[in-house]
Amino acid sequence: MPAQPRRRPIRRRGWIAGGAALLAFLVLALLVTIRALTPGPGHPVADPEPMPSAGALFTPSAPRPPFSVEDREPLTLPQTFRFAQGEFYLQAGSTYLVSFDLSTVKPEDAPGVGMYLGVSFSCITEDGRGVGSIGGTENLLPAEPVSYVNHLLIEPQADGVHSCSIRVNAPYDDVAASGTTIDLSSHWRVTEIDGSAHQAIAEEHLPRTVTPGQPEVAIGQVIPADQLDETSLTVLSSLHVTTCTGVNGSSENGRTWCAADDVNETGSSFDVTTKVDVIGADGSVCVPLEADAQSIDIDKWRHHQLIPLELAVDVPESLCGDALRVSVVIENRGPASLVVHESNSSLIIIADG
């Protein structure tokens, strides 16, 4: 038979060997690279690319200040309830001013003379911790409009949602005004303070009984000049007072502040002066900056009242003394003595640049 042609051998072994060598080289190169990039003991690791800040991504579950609430509700004596509730988000490290105003009037044809109405404005954190409460009490007289105005500062300990509401309290059903309906109109607002805030501690000054005679400082606050870079002040104060037309109705801190000698059924006439003075190291006034006075009468039917006060002051660039003294002064003309309560009395000074 004819000879068969010789087939050319296929070099599989050489191809396989070459591929294995290439793979081993690549693995070795990868291991060397990883070792080179891995830090040894004591060597810092480079920070990764920065992520967007939490503040840039975070959307609070409630609006940020400025924030306000308005509400209207009827109240029929006797009745107690909360209304004007609102939620907002506050940040730790900031200071916020919260101001509320509630207005009403007892109808002229309503039975009885005085109608007691207590008002309390309070704020809490999301977990129910109280962060401030302020309010006032007054007897409503027919056809005489009344406004309850007061303020508080909030300095959050942690970021989070806060809520505020107003509680109105007219609990007595055995009075002539029982069944009377009044309309309540409320407004409150929270704002972040850009400058600085100074608040008097009411319990350091109050409660006190102011007898007829010489003027007395009801509440005050001294601001050292080195803590004051701003050029204007807004003084916000509310005094919660009771005239001594009887020995009862003036109780606070476990005692009655109207003694028998303080009582007169006519009530109290008095002047309230909000003033800001520059004082020296010895406490004496070197120059008065601003003052505003009001004359007020409280008879036995009104009995107690919340008195709102406000004063704007321009601060000179150079002061003759070491500090500013902000004070609310009462001069009681009598005939009854006057009690200034710790509860619901406030003094806040906002300083702006």
Side-chain angles (χ1 to χ4, degrees):
M1 295 182 60
Q4 296 291 327
R6 295 180 62 183
R7 295 182 178 178
R8 193 170 184 173
I10 300 175
R11 301 180 180 274
R12 294 181 181 273
R13 294 181 179 177
W15 180 86
I16 293 173
L22 177 62
L23 178 61
F25 175 78
L26 293 175
V27 170
L28 179 61
L30 179 62
L31 292 174
V32 171
T33 302
I34 292 174
R35 181 177 181 83
L37 294 177
T38 302
H43 290 78
V45 180
D47 292 335
E49 287 295 321
M51 297 293 291
S53 66
L57 297 177
F58 176 70
T59 301
S61 56
R64 300 178 186 268
F67 176 79
S68 63
V69 169
E70 293 185 14
D71 202 359
R72 299 180 66 93
E73 288 287 343
L75 177 146
T76 300
L77 183 66
Q79 195 174 12
T80 296
F81 60 85
R82 284 191 176 275
F83 77 121
Q85 192 273 340
E87 294 185 344
F88 47 90
Y89 188 88
L90 300 184
Q91 293 180 289
S94 296
T95 301
Y96 301 87
L97 173 69
V98 190
S99 302
F100 89 93
D101 184 331
L102 182 144
S103 300
T104 190
V105 62
K106 182 184 177 187
E108 188 172 9
D109 58 354
V113 183
M115 172 184 167
Y116 172 85
L117 178 65
V119 176
S120 177
F121 176 82
S122 58
C123 300
I124 60 174
T125 60
E126 198 168 14
D127 59 4
R129 181 176 56 85
V131 293
S133 179
I134 201 78
T137 64
E138 195 160 335
N139 285 337
L140 311 183
L141 305 181
E144 294 189 14
V146 169
S147 288
Y148 297 74
V149 178
N150 220 324
H151 316 269
L152 60 86
L153 292 179
I154 298 179
E155 297 179 323
Q157 301 302 305
D159 296 356
V161 175
H162 292 63
S163 64
C164 301
S165 62
I166 297 175
R167 180 179 184 268
V168 287
N169 180 32
Y172 303 115
D173 59 358
D174 57 347
V175 294
S178 182
T180 297
T181 297
I182 58 175
D183 292 322
L184 308 174
S185 177
S186 68
H187 173 262
W188 58 267
R189 178 178 175 84
V190 53
T191 55
E192 184 175 1
I193 295 174
D194 292 330
S196 59
H198 309 265
Q199 182 171 18
I201 301 174
E203 65 185 14
E204 293 182 353
H205 306 267
L206 304 170
R208 69 169 60 208
T209 304
V210 180
T211 57
Q214 294 297 317
E216 290 191 32
V217 176
I219 190 169
Q221 178 74 10
V222 173
I223 306 172
D226 58 7
Q227 296 181 16
L228 191 66
D229 297 327
E230 296 80 4
T231 58
S232 64
L233 300 179
T234 300
V235 180
L236 302 170
S237 181
S238 290
L239 293 186
H240 183 202
V241 300
T242 298
T243 183
C244 290
T245 54
V247 294
N248 295 320
S250 62
S251 298
E252 189 172 19
N253 294 350
R255 58 166 285 190
T256 298
W257 293 86
C258 287
D261 293 343
D262 297 317
V263 173
N264 190 297
E265 288 192 355
T266 303
S268 303
S269 295
F270 55 98
D271 294 330
V272 181
T273 302
T274 310
K275 54 192 292 189
V276 179
D277 299 312
V278 183
I279 59 174
D282 60 354
S284 63
V285 176
C286 62
V287 65
L289 288 185
E290 197 69 53
D292 181 68
Q294 298 182 33
S295 294
I296 299 171
D297 299 295
I298 304 180
D299 62 16
K300 68 176 181 179
W301 302 113
R302 181 79 71 190
H303 189 52
H304 35 205
Q305 187 171 343
L306 183 67
I307 303 171
L309 308 164
E310 184 170 348
L311 181 66
V313 183
D314 291 327
V315 181
E317 293 185 2
S318 59
L319 299 176
C320 61
D322 300 321
L324 296 183
R325 183 170 63 203
V326 182
S327 52
V328 180
V329 179
I330 290 184
E331 184 173 1
N332 184 13
R333 297 187 299 274
S337 294
L338 189 73
V339 176
V340 185
H341 295 279
E342 171 194 334
S343 171
N344 299 321
S345 291
S346 62
L347 174 61
I348 295 172
I349 303 103
I350 307 299
D352 296 313

